[in-house]
Structure formats: structure tokens, C-alpha cells
């Protein structure tokens, strides 16, 4: 093998016998007790000191995604925990695996649509915005693709998380061109399709992540980190008042009843 | 099947077309913008309003565990991401799977030891504490088991996270009997083994989790939720400046060099 | 860092531009078309050419574990697939995560008990066998631990897989001391507890794995590889006739009915 | 909730106290000892009795994918195992998570391309075949997409698994229109791009899966089930002669050397 080795390099964190440093800050001395989890998440991801506003908004985004009841992800985690209670990490992992195109992907798709329409964050006139929105809606229509971040199968007429997230973004000076753009897209889509299609939570989060400057392909990560918190509460409950076995027994009994001898 | 169905019940969260409620609080109206991620994590887990002190301490615990450089977990996540960049959730899951007995289990083991020694949080005299510590050290010695939460393979002489965590706990009135007990166990272990065995970060976290009243079998969960945040930063970096393929090629080349034809 | 690098070495497989070799055999020329999956699994694991009998028995062990209807593992995989159909690998992974102490661990526990009782495979008299069985049953009783591999919550009076696996082992000259020992333990346990406690499938598999000479801590692996096959069939069905969303909706509706406004 | 419950139904397997039945066959009596793992995999997936030829070909497909040395998947599994040796299932799961678009997706993409070009398996003339191949190559060129299943980054000039798989398919009467089509596509791509682009293993497997009649979206599953077998061998080796910690230490040391104090 005459392959030339390439360097391996990471700028995130290092440690020695006596020190642990993350993004250039001493973890025990300059981070613990000085940052809350939202601040530190921003700092670990970007390497930048957060403004006072940024963690306010980031906390809201992540909290929105932590808990939504007995989702497929939470049920999978509880079923997994019932088989391997000694491996809680695997139960959380099991629940995360399904955060893909159907449930969390919408955030990513919305952020992608917005950042492709407006690659650089900049001031933009209402006229240009309306035109951009029309172009997007037309492009998705022609490609027979569903516009991401609009409408909701359960929360109707409006997903109540979206207006609240926009409110928090505005209160922290982060309701800029991407937030305006997704709202313009919703307006245009409603006009074209003749029905209510308000921005949902994933659309709001996708837009706000663009305001932060996060690349679209990292946006799913906020859903993933959030949904690693929620299942811990579900396992605490599962341990005290289990439901996973009952779900299993009911599903197996009903699904195969037609096959069994009478 | 004459099996009697058992009820399926969860008290954590519910939603309807217009509402999303977690632990009895309206998510958009009473949680978003009102709680930070540490506060909400406490609230989702316990269903109790946090005191001002509790989230301070919980934030410190979780932040301690988010990032420790290129750990086996972070490397696994990056290798996984290099094969399935469209499934970031699976890469995070892949990294979580290894948070078991070797790396994060120490927290759980320490919390278990402490909560079995002192099942109820209560005031305890120095004499009783010293006796309890002696009993534990003897019991582990006789069972030829390693005392959890003491010493560290890399951080010497002292894991710098532990004293800082105790400091934060004390500043928030949470350095009670469990914190005192693990320190007494360390003192007793050092006396018996004749070498420095200070409490490490996992020992400190295990003790502080007992101060919170968390059952020992949920303690690993704080490490799991923390280690779902860190890898998102690693994948951001991997996307921009990949190292996973180089790790793969080097490992494969070296490990099988002795098998290949010259 | 003055750390001394240690060598990294693996003896399993290597490849070059023109060749792929597993355990010293050319994959395209000497394995594909020459071995079936059971033979190759034995060969990859052990590096030894299988006898004609070994793959017969190994095939039976793995096939026993592939499919058992809508298990917690299969349901978790289907729920995960419904959220991330583009990541089937993550759905299978999700289902595997729960193969722990409760569902598959019995195999491992049985193999461990047997190999600790009889560290080397050797001929053993009926008298010695009975004594060994008595010692084990007593040891578990005193430690208040449940004997692994006996009885079954669903399959009564006898788990029909166990006698069939013993039959196949016997037909292939692999029903040696470990198979006899677990049967003696069952007899002794039944005598002591005064109720029917026949060897179940996990007990039979644990014993037969000891006949193979597999170390106890690898035994769980046969369940894991088997349960990566079954879910592929479940996802084929889920894709054509989905049930995951209905499971989700029913569970969420019922579990939180008591919380919702009337 | 006035939601109408939908039925939950699965046709794969059922069990009662005394019986376990898969696809209508009694597992202990009619499957164990009567089928090998390749036969049973076909049977579990399709519900059809395999012909003598089908398992020959399916065994070859799965075996091809079991083991390819220290792949990213195998390294991730070993790193995970080093942190949670008590949870082998999670280590295998960790390794599976990366079998996505980059490493195994090629099989799926090839099968998709072929089954979209030729939705029904039927006889097809050489002229029609050449035209179909030309259309595909042009379509991918215009869409600036890479043709799946051709060329290989390591195995040059020819991936030796592909011709062997075609040979096995032909010997079992399964080298039909899809095998001919992918070869015609390779020929056409080589002509258009002016360089050698032979069918690789993933292309061969994609084509042969179409011969079986498997839908393209299940094809990745054969890679996933295969790669759940290989890591068990790697963990057996890791347990006896560990390399994961050394990989970790080397990567962490090198990657963060530029950050540390001299």
C-alpha cells in the first residue's frame, strides 16, 4: 500500500491529565456553572460565544422537540427498554433511529428549501420576497413535491408551536428574512391551493435555524438531541408502571388472530 | 386467548388538534420562552416545578457529559455518518449504543452504591458517615469489586470536574449526605489502599443525582442525553473536514498488513 | 504524549484491488457457491472448516431465533421504519437494541452457567452429572437467582423448540455433556421446586453453543444475527400493509385519555 | 376522539402455548432440520417454498456482504463493544446504522434503476436491451447523477465478486433480463465515458434481486442482515485481542495535538 496518510484533526475539544477544554474554554473553570445547556449547545456546535438572544431561541427550538407523548419513537424506546433494561442507552438509540424523513425530516427539508432560495442572509424587500415565494411554490408544484413545513396532520387549523416560536424569535431579533420567507411561501401556497396551509413547528424551526446560519443538513440534529431527553422520562415511567409488554401482547394477539386455530 | 387486557396509561404529555401539554403545562404558552433546557429536562422527568437551584445543578451535570473529544462514541458516530450521511439520527444512535458499563456506567454504579447504603435522604452524623463508608469499602473489598466513582485512568491526580461539580452543588444547597458519603468513601478507600483515589466526575454525578432523589437506574440517562448533543457538533465538523474515511483506511491497512501478500 | 502505540491487528479478512479473502479463503473463488450461510457463519466466526454436522446444528440454532411474530423487537423495528423508511438499516438496528437480558440473555446465562460448571468439554458420568446439577440448583437457590434456560412464560408445558433442537444436536453427534447437564439441572430443579421446569429454547441453545466450544459471552450474537433477518420480512409487510401508525395512534389515544379535556 | 380503529394484521408468524408457526409451517417440526438459513430466509421473506436454485443464489448474495475486513461498520461495532461489552446487541446495531447511501445503498439504487426501466420481468431482445441501456445512461447523464452499480473505488479493474455472482446466478437459471440489462448499461457507460466501468458487487446483487422479484426498497435488507453476522466474529476477536481502545487513543491524540499546550 503506497497510500499517503492524510492528517486527522478535530477542533472541538481536548484533554490532558489535569485539563478538559471545549472550544478553547476550560470545562470546569469557565463553562460549568457559567453556561446553561442551551448556551453550551450553541457554543459546542459553533465555537462562538452566544449572544444573550441566541440561547433563548435555541432553548425554545430544542424544548419544542423533546416531548410529544407516546410517539412511535417513545413507544419503540419503551419496547426496547422492556427487553434490555440494563442498556438504557440502547433504548434511547432505538427511539432515535426513526427520526427520519417522515417525522423530523420536515425541519431539514424546510431549512434546505429556504437556504437554497436565499443562500446568504440579507435584507430583502417585500416584493422580492413574494416573488421568491411564488417561485418556490411553483417549483415544488411542477416537481410534484410537497412543500415542507406547512400544514399538519393533527394540529389544526394551526400548529400552536409555530406562532409561539416566531414570537420568541422576534423578541430576540431573530425573525429575519428566512422567517418572512417561509410565511410568504405559506401565504402563496394557501392562495394557490385554496386551503389553509399555515407554517407548522418544523417549518418554523427550519426557518429559525437558517436565521442562526446553521447549514440545512445539521438541522435534524436538534430534533435528535431533543428526542434523547424525552425517552429518559418515558423509561422512568416505564420502570414504575410498565406498558410495553401490554402493547406487545395486544399487538401480537390481534395481528395474528386470523392465523390461529379456533 | 382469554387474556385480560391491562390498561395502557402515561402521565407525561398529551395533545389534541389545538393543544400540546407536557406534565400539565401548555407547551407553547407556559413552557416555550419560560423555561431553559435544563429546567424543562427536570420538569419533563419529574413532573415537578424546579426550584431555582435544581436546574443550575442539572445543567452542570449534563454539560459535563456532552463533550470529551474524540471518544469511542464520537468516533463511532462519525464512522456511521460517513456511510449514511442522510441518516444523522442513526449516527447519533450509533454513538449512544456504547455508553454502557465501561464509560458511563460508573455514574449509575456510584448512585446505586450510595442509595443502597442510604435509602432515604436524611441528616447523618460524621461518625455514622465514617462507619457507613468503612462498611462499603469493606463490602466491595470482600466481593473483589472495584469501588465505583473513584480514581480516573487519564485525569490525575484529580479529575478536575469533580471538585467543580461539588462546588456547584454546595452553592445550590445540594451537597447533602450523598455528597458527603462518597467523599467519606474516597477517604476510607485511600486509607485502606494507601494511594490517592479521589472522587471522579462519574462519582460526583452519581452522588448529586442521589441528592436530587433520582433512582440509580435512571442516572445513566443524563449521560445518554448529553452524548446526543456532542455528536451533532462532530458531524458538523465531519461534514466540513472529514476524518472517518482516513481512520477506516489506516485501521484496515495496519490491522491486516500481516495477512496480505508482500 | 509519550504513550507507546500498540499494534492494531485483525485476522479475519483482507482485501486488495483484485482480491477479497476471508479467514484465508478467497471469497469469490472458494466461498461463494461453495458454502451456505450457516457454513460460512461458522467459518467466519471460528476460522475453522466446518464438519458436515456443525452447520446443520448452527442453521437450526439461528433459524430458531429468526422469527417469533410481533415481538417487541419486530414492533420497534416497524415503528422506526414508519418514521424513516429511507433508513431500513436503522429500523433493523432499532429492533436489535432490545435483545438484552430479558429476551435473549437467557441463552447467554445458560451458556455461562454450564461453562462455569464444566469449563472443559469432557466425558462425565451420570453420577458426577447429577451432583453437578444439584450444586448448580443449590447455588442459584441460595443466591436467590432464577435458573436460566428453564420454563417459559408462554410455551407450556414444554417449549416445543427445545426437544427438537436436542434431537438435531443428537443426530449430529453434538448432544454431549452440556446438553446432558442442562437436562440434569432441569430434572433437579423440578424435583426441588415440585413443578414442571423443562429446558426451553434458550436453555437448549445455550447448551448446544457450549458443545460447539463457543464462549458464553458470544452466544447472544446468534440471537442478534437471527433477529436482523426477521425484521426485513416485517418491513416488506409493513411497506405493503402498514400497522405501525395504527399502533401509535391507539397507544397514544388510550394512554393519555385520562389527561385530556372531556 | 372519534377516530375509527383500523385492523392490525400480520401474516408472518403466530404462536400458542404449544406451537410456533412461520408462514404456515410448524417451526420445530417442518422447518428446523429441514431448511438451511438461506432457504429459511427466502421462506420467511416471501412465504413461498424456495426452488432448489433460489437459496443457492440467495446464500451467495448474503455471504458476499457478511465480511469485508475492518470496514467503518466493523470499527464502529468494536468501539461500541469496548464501552458496553454487556450489550453485544447494541454493538451490532451501532455497526448497522451506517449501512446507508454510501456503502450499501448502491445495491438499492441499482435495483431501483433496473426495476424502473423494466417493471415486469419478461423476455427482451438484444436490440431492446441496448436501447433501454442507452436511455438509462443518457437519463443519468442529463440528471448529473452517478450510475449505480458500476466501477469500484478499491477493486480494480474488476470487482471480483461480480462475475462470480453472475456465474452462480447463471448456473441456477437466474441470469435473466435484469442481469443482462445491467451488463448492457455497463457496456454503454464504458462507451460513453471512454473508460472501464464494469458492474461491481452491488450492481450484480441489485440485478439478481430483481430477478428474484424482490422490490428495490427491500434490497438493502440483505446487506443489513449480512452485516449483523460479521460483527459477531469481530467482537469475538475484540474480546480476545482488543484494538478499539488503541484506535480511540491514537485518533484522539493525533486529532487534537494541535490544540494542546506544548
Amino acid at each position: 500500500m503506497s497510500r499517503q496518510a492524510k492528517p486527522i484533526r478535530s477542533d472541538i475539544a481536548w484533554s490532558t491529565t489535569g485539563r478538559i477544554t471545549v472550544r478553547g474554554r476550560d470545562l470546569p473553570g469557565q463553562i460549568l456553572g457559567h453556561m446553561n445547556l442551551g448556551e453550551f449547545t450553541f457554543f459546542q456546535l459553533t465555537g462562538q460565544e452566544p449572544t444573550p438572544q441566541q440561547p433563548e431561541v435555541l432553548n425554545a427550538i430544542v424544548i419544542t422537540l423533546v416531548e410529544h407523548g407516546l410517539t412511535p419513537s417513545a413507544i419503540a424506546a419503551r419496547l426496547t427498554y422492556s427487553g434490555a433494561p440494563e442498556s438504557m442507552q440502547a433504548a434511547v438509540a432505538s427511539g432515535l433511529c426513526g427520526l427520519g424523513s417522515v417525522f423530523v425530516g420536515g425541519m431539514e427539508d424546510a431549512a434546505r428549501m429556504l437556504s437554497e432560495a436565499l443562500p446568504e442572509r440579507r435584507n430583502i424587500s417585500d416584493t422580492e420576497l413574494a416573488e421568491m415565494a411564488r417561485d418556490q411554490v411553483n417549483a415544488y408544484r411542477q416537481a410534484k413535491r410537497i412543500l415542507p413545513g406547512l400544514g399538519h396532520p393533527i394540529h389544526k387549523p394551526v400548529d400552536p408551536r409555530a406562532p409561539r416560536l416566531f414570537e420568541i424569535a422576534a423578541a430576540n431579533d431573530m425573525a429575519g428574512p428566512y422567517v418572512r420567507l417561509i410565511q410568504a411561501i405559506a401565504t402563496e401556497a394557501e392562495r394557490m391551493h385554496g386551503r389553509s396551509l399555515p407554517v407548522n413547528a418544523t417549518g418554523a424551526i427550519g426557518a429559525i435555524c437558517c436565521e442562526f446560519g446553521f447549514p440545512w443538513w445539521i438541522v435534524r440534529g436538534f430534533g435528535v438531541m431533543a428526542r434523547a431527553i424525552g425517552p429518559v422520562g418515558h423509561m422512568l415511567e416505564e420502570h414504575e408502571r410498565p406498558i410495553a409488554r401490554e402493547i406487545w401482547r395486544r399487538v401480537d394477539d390481534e395481528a395474528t388472530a386470523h392465523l390461529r386455530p379456533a
Side-chain angles (χ1 to χ4, degrees), chain A:
Chain A
M1 286 279 143
S2 56
R3 206 180 59 85
Q4 183 74 33
K6 291 174 200 154
I8 286 174
R9 183 178 150 167
S10 172
D11 292 337
I12 300 175
W14 57 270
S15 52
T16 59
T17 50
R19 297 180 58 187
I20 298 160
T21 304
V22 180
R23 298 288 190 188
R25 270 202 184 194
D26 185 59
L27 176 71
Q30 300 177 303
I31 294 171
L32 296 183
H34 299 283
M35 286 183 167
N36 67 35
L37 190 52
E39 290 167 321
F40 182 67
T41 298
F42 180 87
F43 180 66
Q44 190 265 357
L45 271 174
T46 65
Q48 295 162 24
E49 296 289 324
T51 64
Q53 289 78 32
Q54 285 163 334
E56 292 292 314
V57 182
L58 196 65
N59 273 318
I61 286 175
V62 178
I63 289 173
T64 297
L65 300 161
V66 166
E67 181 55 56
H68 206 276
L70 283 157
T71 56
S73 164
I75 302 171
R78 290 175 83 138
L79 287 162
T80 301
Y81 183 69
S82 75
E86 72 285 0
S87 306
M88 181 191 286
Q89 75 279 8
V92 175
S94 172
L96 295 186
C97 282
L99 302 175
S101 59
V102 178
F103 291 122
V104 172
M107 284 161 43
E108 185 175 302
D109 295 338
R112 184 174 194 172
M113 173 182 71
L114 297 170
S115 62
E116 288 177 351
L118 182 66
E120 294 289 318
R121 194 173 192 253
R122 60 175 170 80
N123 283 328
I124 188 168
S125 72
D126 284 351
T127 318
E128 193 185 351
L129 201 74
E131 199 176 324
M132 222 175 240
R134 212 154 39 233
D135 288 351
Q136 286 300 316
V137 175
N138 279 326
Y140 273 76
R141 190 196 188 117
Q142 279 175 11
K144 290 181 184 160
R145 293 173 60 200
I146 293 167
L147 281 160
L150 306 185
H152 199 279
I154 293 168
H155 298 301
K156 292 175 184 175
V158 173
D159 179 342
R161 298 167 293 185
R164 179 64 180 137
L165 286 164
F166 286 141
E167 199 174 75
I168 291 167
N172 288 283
D173 288 323
M174 293 190 69
Y178 294 106
V179 168
R180 289 169 62 218
L181 179 55
I182 197 150
Q183 288 170 326
I185 288 172
T187 304
E188 181 62 25
E190 291 181 333
R191 204 189 54 74
M192 192 177 291
H193 295 283
R195 62 192 177 91
S196 173
L197 276 170
V199 180
N200 62 29
T202 63
I205 290 171
I208 297 169
C209 285
C210 290
E211 300 289 345
F212 269 100
F214 293 127
W216 64 261
W217 41 265
I218 212 73
V219 168
R220 186 182 299 201
F222 297 107
V224 176
M225 62 176 75
R227 286 288 172 89
I229 297 171
V232 181
H234 281 274
M235 280 179 263
L236 192 54
E237 190 180 73
E238 181 70 26
H239 193 278
E240 287 164 3
R241 211 170 58 225
I243 63 173
R245 275 176 174 267
E246 178 67 19
I247 294 170
W248 162 35
R249 297 303 306 276
R250 286 196 200 172
V251 168
D252 194 34
D253 284 355
E254 176 175 339
T256 64
H258 67 293
L259 298 173
R260 292 165 198 245

